[in-house]
Amino acid sequence: MRQMAGGAKAKKANTLVEGLQHHFITRLDGISARYGEDSPCVPVEWLREGGRFGGGVRFEATDRTLFDRGSVNVSQVHYESEAAKKLASATAISTIIHPENPHVPSMHMHISWTEMRDGSGYWRIMADLNPSIERDTDRERFMQTLQEAGGVHFETGRAQGERYFFIPALGRHRGVAHFYLECFNTGDFNRDLAYAKAFGEAVIDTYTSIVSERIAGNPPADGKACALQLAYHTLYLFQVLTLDQGTTSGLLVHDQNDVGILGSLPSHVDVDLLKSWAKAVEAPQQKLVESIVDILGGSGVVEVDRRRKIGLAKVVRSHYRKYPEAIKLQARGEITPPTVANHA
């Protein structure tokens, strides 16, 4: 059984992320009922130390006519019984949706509240639109939502997002519209809570509207479009496994939700394309890319199934334990919180 954190702020944060999860799942299930197989998302629970330190529930998309991969994960890890730890609790929603049709964009969103034992804390608020085939109208609409929901913090969030989602080895960004606030805290918890809620709801509503409109338009998924999607999905996996600090931190903290943490990965990637990027990264990241290629089978187009996800998680964990200095080569905004150290 999963135990929940007892602090008032942690409880409010958990209510927030569970509410956003329900809202998102309701919208996705509605899209499936209208345009697909009417196949709802299904819950999968995971436990941290058997539930003693919390855990989470992710909802996975099951409508394969509409979604290549989809995961909406809510988690709360806490250490109320471990007085020596700096961290009291970490509460988050993290989601990625990869539609099946290459003309329908993917989207990533993360909202979390991290609370230290002394009562201090901060929010992380992220969202980015990730199309395989870019459409100016979708990018502009998503950016408008980020601007309106971001309010006075939009320019800071946009600048940090542009920095965080840049891939130096490839000279390009992952995605076309970015927002990232790190260590966000205005000093008024309830106001920040309301801000995070409004931001999440706006992103979810705009994205699911875009998805519905693109599916209703039924653009043809011809060979060229599918090839562009495969290339972009390969880039997405490359960025997540070699640059994303959130993913790396989650894998280094514990090994009890590896499949869930890597729920953002698309279903298939081009291993030969991935392999070609190894020479472009800084040492020792080339070793990481080579190890990822080995886990994926060495060549060809492969499925990133459960077995390979577990293998990839082990590879990433092993690499950064062997080369801890390589963490500095990962993506970062203006501030980099000591996430792994907080769990120690």
Side-chain angles (χ1 to χ4, degrees), residues 2-259:
R2 178 164 54 107
Q3 299 178 12
M4 307 301 292
K9 292 179 181 178
K11 287 180 178 178
K12 288 183 177 180
N14 191 68
T15 298
L16 165 65
V17 297
E18 286 187 344
L20 290 175
Q21 182 185 51
H22 176 74
H23 182 54
F24 203 177
I25 293 305
T26 299
R27 295 294 296 260
L28 293 175
D29 286 350
I31 292 171
S32 175
R34 183 171 182 181
Y35 300 107
E37 300 175 335
D38 194 11
S39 180
C41 299
V42 298
V44 179
E45 185 176 29
W46 69 274
L47 300 175
R48 179 81 163 95
E49 297 296 334
R52 178 187 173 199
F53 297 148
V57 177
R58 69 180 183 273
F59 279 78
E60 297 182 344
T62 63
D63 190 332
R64 293 296 172 240
T65 65
L66 299 182
F67 302 112
D68 172 80
R69 285 279 170 81
S71 177
V72 186
N73 182 49
V74 158
S75 63
Q76 185 177 78
V77 172
H78 61 85
Y79 300 110
E80 294 186 339
S81 62
E82 300 290 312
K85 290 187 181 292
K86 299 177 183 178
L87 180 69
S89 63
T91 309
I93 178 172
S94 188
T95 177
I96 177 67
I97 305 299
H98 292 299
E100 178 68 22
N101 191 307
H103 293 278
V104 187
S106 300
M107 190 276 287
H108 161 257
M109 184 185 76
H110 174 98
I111 296 174
S112 62
W113 165 252
T114 298
E115 187 170 346
M116 309 309 292
R117 192 164 295 280
D118 63 6
S120 63
Y122 57 87
W123 293 89
R124 176 181 292 126
I125 301 175
M126 308 173 73
D128 50 295
L129 188 69
N130 292 268
S132 300
I133 299 171
E134 297 181 17
R135 293 176 63 105
D136 289 343
T137 53
D138 291 347
R139 175 183 56 78
E140 291 166 2
R141 184 175 175 185
F142 198 81
M143 282 298 298
Q144 182 178 358
T145 293
L146 295 180
Q147 185 169 8
E148 292 175 354
V152 297
H153 307 291
F154 169 70
E155 287 299 334
T156 298
R158 182 196 59 77
Q160 288 203 75
E162 290 288 313
R163 178 178 175 179
Y164 188 86
F165 291 107
F166 184 70
I167 306 173
L170 304 182
R172 60 170 294 185
H173 287 89
R174 187 197 92 180
V176 297
H178 314 95
F179 186 92
Y180 176 29
L181 291 180
E182 181 60 87
C183 294
F184 175 69
N185 186 340
T186 68
D188 185 332
F189 175 81
N190 288 326
R191 182 173 63 184
D192 294 346
L193 180 81
Y195 177 85
K197 180 177 185 290
F199 183 91
E201 289 175 346
V203 168
I204 291 168
D205 289 346
T206 295
Y207 176 67
T208 51
S209 293
I210 291 172
V211 170
S212 294
E213 291 170 11
R214 294 293 154 258
I215 292 174
N218 195 29
D222 57 20
K224 181 179 179 181
C226 290
L228 289 170
Q229 183 186 57
L230 179 64
Y232 192 76
H233 282 179
T234 305
L235 177 141
Y236 197 97
L237 178 140
F238 176 76
Q239 190 276 339
V240 167
L241 295 182
T242 66
L243 289 172
D244 189 69
Q245 286 207 23
T247 299
T248 300
S249 297
L251 294 174
L252 288 174
V253 167
H254 63 81
D255 62 357
Q256 295 169 10
N257 188 32
D258 287 353
V259 173

Side-chain angles (χ1 to χ4, degrees), residues 288-318:
L288 174 58
V289 177
E290 291 171 349
S291 296
I292 291 169
V293 166
D294 288 342
I295 291 295
L296 292 173
S299 64
V301 176
V302 303
E303 181 182 3
V304 187
D305 56 14
R306 179 184 177 86
R307 177 182 63 83
R308 288 192 170 105
K309 284 184 183 179
I310 293 172
L312 291 170
K314 291 178 179 178
V315 159
V316 171
R317 197 155 36 234
S318 174

